[in-house]
Each structure stands twice: as structure tokens, then as C-alpha cells.
């Protein structure tokens, strides 16, 4: 018996509420990590700011590394792959050719990402997603078994590369000393407090590191998660996952049993400053991401889960707008053309700020969606993707949920 591809087995319409809530949850986790890079140049230089060396600062850094770093990026990548199939299904319903449509969408994402890098935040993911999506597009007809095997090979290759690098390469040959890194971080943080030209220069100066990281780690791991997400969408994973309590419990048990010790070991070894730690994270982070998914899905389906859904789902429905909005908030808070808090916010303060900003986004997203079908960025991307003006909902009339990719 042959396996069906996504084009042969369309995903059910109207059953994407859990996906939207998960996407909103992933945005929170990503922002908790990203805000540390928006607020100071020290994390980007793989050193801690000596001005924040209190025990509480060390504890928050440790928790962010153990519980957040990479985990939510993988979840977001998985959801992108899931939404890729939903886009395919939407193109089929509209009678549109999927490949040209997705090529335009990838180009639109890349253009938005390039603008994001230059104007807002150099730690962009959109450009990486846009390029890797082309690989996914070339594989969108492969069988589930092939997609799963490819994902496993990619992960094994990345892990092996990291292990070989940790065992045989001397990082000091191409990395500055600790004192040099501190000096560079201090100078770059001061640049962040400059005018528009200084900030543009700071963003562009990080392009080489962004490309290296995308090619060596973020791109391959994203592709692996894209493929897993594509398989999950073909099998309609979230159509009735909330009803499979025993399966969700098993995922939680295994995911937390492997993922939590892995996250703690990653943080204890030094996080991104240590190649062994990165290898540990690559192997164990997917388990913790899966445990997070299982936990949130279970919570969404308990009697009071509707309140949690009402917070997370609107953020996920306009994820692209909110992702860019987080960078706008970071620019306003930390740069010299805004409030100028770069280098002045401690890790605990940054954690609180991330939660507060996300709460504001949740409220604004819910308000916006009462009278709009798409967020501003989603509207522009759909205009480019479909080569036609998207329909807007009438003010005050709520549109039914549709199985569209948010980005």
C-alpha cells in the first residue's frame, strides 16, 4: 500500500486552533532568547556582561539557556513545516499552482527578512526560512519515510560535525580571547546607542556571523524540523491530538526525561560558548520541544484551557506581524533612536520585559483580529504570494478559522 502525499490527502479545514496557540507559545519562547541579543552585544560575542554578575543574573541566564535556547526555534520550525502543507492544501482549494505560489511566498519572506536585518534586528530567521523552504519545496512530494530518514540524516550530520569540531578544532584559533570579546562587546553595545547610521552599521556587521550560523546549524536543523512538520500535517496530527491523552503523557514523560537533563547540561557546559554543549542541545532539544507541545496541547483541552487559548491563539494567527513587532519593540527600548537601554537591563529585567511585551501583543492581536482577517505583515505577504489583494473581513464580523500558514 503506497503512502499518500500531502497533495493527495488534504488537511481538514477549520481545525488549526491548537497550531495557532502553539505558534503563539513559540513566539514567546523565541522572544525570551532574542531579547537578550537585542538588549546588548555581550551575548552575541559569547560573553556575559560583567555589569550583571549577581547570583540572580546567573540563575536567569542558566534558566533561559536550559529551558528556552533552541527549543522554541525548533518548535517554530516544526510549525513552519506543518503550515507548508496547509499552504499546499489552500492552493489546491483555490485552484492555484502551488509551486509558483510558494516561490513567491519564499521571495516575499526573504525580502521581509532582509529588511528586518537591516532596519530592526540582525538575528533574523525569515531569510533562513525562505532559503530552506526552497529545499522543502523540492521535496514536497517525497514519501513520509523518505522525509523522516532525511531529517534523521541531517540531524546525525549536524551532531557529528559538532562532535568532531569539539574534539579536534581549537576554538582559540578563530575566536577572540575572553578579554578581547569583552572589549568588542562593550564597543558594539555603545554603537547600539548611536544614531540611525550607527545602528544600521551594527546590524550589517553581524551578517557574516548570521550566514555562518544559518549554514552550519540553524538552516540544517530548520530543514529537519520542516520535514517532521510536513509529515505531521500530512497525518493531520492536530486534528484530534488533544483527545489522545495517553500519547501526550508518553511524550511528556520521554520528552522531559531526556530534554530537561539535556537543557541543564547545555547550560552547565556554557551554552553557546561551548561546542560540546551545542552538540548536547542539538540532540536533546527536540525532546524538550515535543514535551512542551504535549503539555500545552493537554492544557488547551482542560476545562479552563479556553482562557489560555484566547491568550495564545491571536498571537499565533498573526505570527509574522508579532515576530517583526518584537524586533520593533527591541529597537525602541534598547537602541539610541529609542529609549536607549542597551547594556542597562539585567537578565531578570529582560525576562520580565519579554513577558510584558508578549502580553501586550496578545491583547493587541485579539483586538486587531476582531475587525481584520490578517495582520499587516501577513496581508503584505499574501498580496505578494497570491498576486492578488487578500479579502478583508468586515468590521465587527469574526471570520472562521482557516487552515492557512501564518508564516
Amino acid at each position: 500500500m503506497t503512502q499518500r502525499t500531502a497533495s493527495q490527502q488534504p488537511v481538514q479545514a477549520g481545525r488549526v486552533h491548537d497550531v495557532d496557540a502553539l505558534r503563539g507559545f513559540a513566539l514567546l519562547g523565541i522572544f525570551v532568547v532574542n531579547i537578550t541579543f537585542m538588549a546588548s552585544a555581550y551575548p552575541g560575542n559569547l560573553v556575559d556582561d560583567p555589569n550583571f554578575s549577581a547570583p540572580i543574573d546567573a540563575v536567569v541566564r542558566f534558566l533561559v539557556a536550559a529551558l528556552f535556547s533552541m527549543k522554541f526555534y525548533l518548535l517554530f520550525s516544526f510549525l513552519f513545516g506543518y503550515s507548508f502543507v496547509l499552504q499546499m492544501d489552500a492552493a489546491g482549494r483555490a485552484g492555484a499552482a502551488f509551486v509558483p505560489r510558494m516561490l513567491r511566498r519564499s521571495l516575499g519572506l526573504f525580502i521581509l527578512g532582509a529588511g528586518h536585518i537591516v532596519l530592526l534586528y540582525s538575528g533574523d530567521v525569515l531569510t533562513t526560512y525562505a532559503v530552506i523552504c526552497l529545499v522543502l519545496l523540492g521535496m514536497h512530494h517525497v514519501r513520509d519515510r523518505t522525509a523522516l530518514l532525511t531529517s534523521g540524516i541531517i540531524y546525525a550530520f549536524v551532531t557529528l560535525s559538532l562532535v568532531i569540531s569539539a574534539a579536534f578544532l581549537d576554538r582559540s584559533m578563530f575566536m577572540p580571547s575572553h578579554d578581547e570579546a569583552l572589549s568588542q562587546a562593550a564597543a558594539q553595545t555603545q554603537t547600539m546607542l548611536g544614531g540611525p547610521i550607527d545602528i544600521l552599521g551594527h546590524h550589517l556587521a553581524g551578517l557574516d556571523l548570521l550566514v555562518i550560523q544559518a549554514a552550519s546549524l540553524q538552516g540544517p536543523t530548520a530543514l529537519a524540523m520542516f520535514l517532521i512538520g510536513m509529515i505531521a500535517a500530512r497525518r493531520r496530527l492536530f486534528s484530534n491530538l488533544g483527545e489522545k491523552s495517553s500519547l501526550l503523557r508518553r511524550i511528556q514523560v520521554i520528552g522531559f526525561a531526556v530534554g530537561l537533563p539535556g537543557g541543564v547540561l547545555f547550560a552547565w557546559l556554557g551554552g553557546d560558548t561551548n561546542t560540546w554543549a551545542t552538540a548536547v542541545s542539538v540532540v536533546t532539544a527536540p525532546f524538550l520541544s515535543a514535551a512542551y507541545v504535549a503539555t500545552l496541547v493537554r492544557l488547551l483541552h482542560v476545562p479552563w484551557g479556553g482562557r489560555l487559548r484566547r491568550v495564545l491563539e491571536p498571537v499565533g494567527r498573526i505570527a509574522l506581524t508579532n515576530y517583526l513587532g518584537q524586533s520593533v519593540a527591541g529597537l525602541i527600548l534598547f537602541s539610541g533612536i529609542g529609549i536607549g537601554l542597551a547594556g542597562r537591563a539585567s537578565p531578570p529585567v529582560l525576562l520580565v520585559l519579554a513577558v510584558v511585551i508578549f502580553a501586550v501583543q496578545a491583547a493587541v492581536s485579539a483586538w486587531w483580529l476582531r475587525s481584520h482577517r490578517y495582520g499587516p505583515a501577513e496581508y503584505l505577504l499574501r498580496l505578494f504570494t497570491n498576486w492578488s489583494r487578500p479579502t478583508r473581513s468586515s468590521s465587527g464580523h469574526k471570520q472562521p478559522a482557516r487552515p492557512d500558514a501564518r508564516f
Side-chain angles (χ1 to χ4, degrees):
M1 184 175 180
T2 60
Q3 290 175 293
R4 291 182 177 181
T5 65
S7 60
Q8 296 169 315
Q9 182 173 295
V11 179
Q12 285 179 319
R15 299 295 298 271
V16 293
H17 303 290
D18 286 356
V19 175
D20 285 333
L22 283 166
R23 193 179 289 107
F25 179 59
L27 275 176
L28 172 60
I30 286 173
F31 191 39
V32 167
V33 176
N34 282 353
I35 196 172
T36 63
F37 293 88
M38 296 174 182
S40 165
Y42 286 89
N45 283 277
L46 304 181
V47 288
D48 295 334
D49 188 339
N51 294 316
F52 302 112
S53 56
I56 185 62
D57 298 323
V59 168
V60 171
R61 288 192 189 102
F62 189 94
L63 290 176
V64 170
L67 302 178
F68 292 86
S69 292
M70 197 172 187
K71 290 76 176 177
F72 289 89
Y73 175 77
L74 294 178
L75 173 55
F76 211 61
S77 300
F78 167 84
L79 293 171
F80 187 97
Y82 197 99
S83 295
F84 176 88
V85 177
L86 301 181
Q87 282 286 335
M88 190 185 306
D89 190 53
R93 292 195 310 272
F98 174 67
V99 172
R101 195 173 188 177
M102 187 53 66
L103 287 173
R104 290 193 299 269
R105 187 175 185 84
S106 295
L107 178 58
L109 267 184
F110 190 88
I111 293 171
L112 284 173
H116 182 218
I117 291 170
V118 174
L119 300 175
L120 300 177
Y121 172 53
S122 59
D124 172 72
V125 74
L126 301 181
T127 50
T128 301
Y129 276 18
V131 173
I132 300 302
C133 185
L134 299 179
V135 181
L136 185 65
L137 184 60
M139 297 183 65
H140 75 283
H141 281 311
V142 302
R143 298 187 177 202
D144 289 355
R145 184 181 302 173
T146 303
L148 185 61
L149 179 62
T150 303
S151 179
I153 291 173
I154 291 170
Y155 241 75
F157 178 79
V158 171
T159 304
L160 182 61
S161 299
L162 288 168
V163 169
I164 292 173
S165 297
F168 299 106
L169 290 183
D170 182 3
R171 286 170 61 94
S172 64
M173 295 175 59
F174 50 89
M175 294 287 290
S177 67
H178 185 264
D179 289 342
E180 289 173 334
L182 284 175
S183 178
Q184 289 177 9
Q188 291 169 12
T189 301
Q190 193 60 38
T191 300
M192 294 169 66
L193 294 170
I197 300 301
D198 298 313
I199 294 168
L200 290 177
H202 174 70
H203 291 165
L204 293 175
L207 273 179
D208 55 347
L209 181 61
L210 178 68
V211 172
I212 292 171
Q213 187 176 36
S216 62
L217 182 62
Q218 284 194 330
T221 54
L223 177 57
M225 291 299 106
F226 283 7
L227 292 169
I228 298 297
M230 182 175 72
I231 295 170
R234 288 175 177 180
R235 294 172 178 262
R236 305 177 182 179
L237 176 67
F238 290 103
S239 292
N240 59 354
L241 185 60
E243 302 167 9
K244 300 179 179 179
S245 297
S246 59
L247 172 61
L248 292 173
R249 281 195 296 269
R250 286 197 296 272
I251 294 174
Q252 285 178 295
V253 169
I254 297 172
F256 284 126
V258 177
L260 281 178
V264 169
L265 183 58
F266 167 72
W268 182 72
L269 289 173
D272 293 326
T273 65
N274 186 295
T275 308
W276 285 111
T278 305
V280 169
S281 183
V282 167
V283 173
T284 62
F287 288 90
L288 192 51
S289 298
Y292 287 159
V293 170
T295 302
L296 182 59
V297 170
R298 291 191 70 187
L299 290 175
L300 291 173
H301 291 270
V302 298
W304 52 267
R307 291 195 290 271
L308 181 60
R309 187 188 300 278
R310 283 192 292 274
V311 171
L312 296 175
E313 187 179 339
V315 181
R317 283 184 59 190
I318 53 174
L320 180 56
T321 294
N322 283 314
Y323 175 74
L324 297 173
Q326 290 172 350
S327 296
V328 171
L331 190 71
I332 293 171
L333 283 173
F334 303 114
S335 76
I337 60 175
I339 299 174
L341 296 179
R344 302 176 188 177
S346 67
V349 170
L350 292 177
L351 182 59
V352 172
L353 278 173
V355 174
V356 169
I357 291 169
F358 182 82
V360 172
Q361 285 190 307
V364 172
S365 298
W367 167 78
W368 179 270
L369 288 171
R370 291 193 189 105
S371 55
H372 298 81
R373 188 172 182 178
Y374 309 114
E378 285 78 9
Y379 183 87
L380 289 175
L381 185 58
R382 281 180 171 274
L383 180 65
F384 195 84
T385 299
N386 299 339
W387 221 241
S388 62
R389 185 176 179 180
T391 57
R392 291 176 177 268
S393 64
S394 302
S395 178
H397 287 81
K398 197 171 182 180
Q399 289 290 327
R402 293 186 59 185
D404 303 338
R406 306 305 174 192
F407 88 83

